[in-house]
Amino acid sequence: RKFLECINHKKIQSTNRNCEVTADVRHDGSEPRVDVTFADGERLIMKGANLTTIEMLTALGSRCNVKELKEEQKRKKSS
């Protein structure tokens, strides 16, 4: 829930207007997890029981940075 709170913060949302956050909160006793689907279809699944909020934010940020670098390299090649 803390991760969701951080992701939904106005400053974070303003950095990427294409980001859509959908919460599916379940009370069935299942392990908490965050399932991120990127625009290219790739998924990042993080099991919340084993990770802190900071670790989850870092993992998401790292994945986003890698995707951004790949996109930048692709643009440089096509120029």
Side-chain angles (χ1 to χ4, degrees):
R1 290 176 191 229
K2 184 71 176 164
F3 175 81
L4 185 60
E5 190 177 304
C6 292
I7 292 298
N8 277 325
H9 194 275
K10 287 180 184 180
K11 284 185 180 182
I12 299 297
Q13 288 291 318
S14 69
T15 62
N16 188 349
R17 302 255 184 230
N18 296 327
C19 180
E20 181 181 323
V21 177
T22 305
D24 179 13
V25 179
R26 298 180 185 186
H27 300 283
D28 60 1
S30 62
E31 181 179 3
R33 70 178 194 167
V34 174
D35 188 347
V36 179
T37 304
F38 294 94
D40 63 2
E42 184 181 347
R43 291 176 68 191
L44 170 63
I45 298 173
M46 298 179 280
K47 296 183 179 183
N50 301 323
L51 300 170
T52 65
T53 302
I54 297 298
E55 290 171 328
M56 293 168 78
L57 290 169
T58 301
L60 179 60
S62 295
R63 186 71 61 93
C64 290
N65 288 338
V66 167
K67 288 186 170 301
E68 192 173 302
L69 284 173
K70 286 181 181 178
E71 187 63 33
E72 193 174 301
Q73 289 172 349
K74 190 185 286 186
R75 277 185 268 154
K76 284 182 181 180
K77 284 182 181 180
S78 64
S79 297

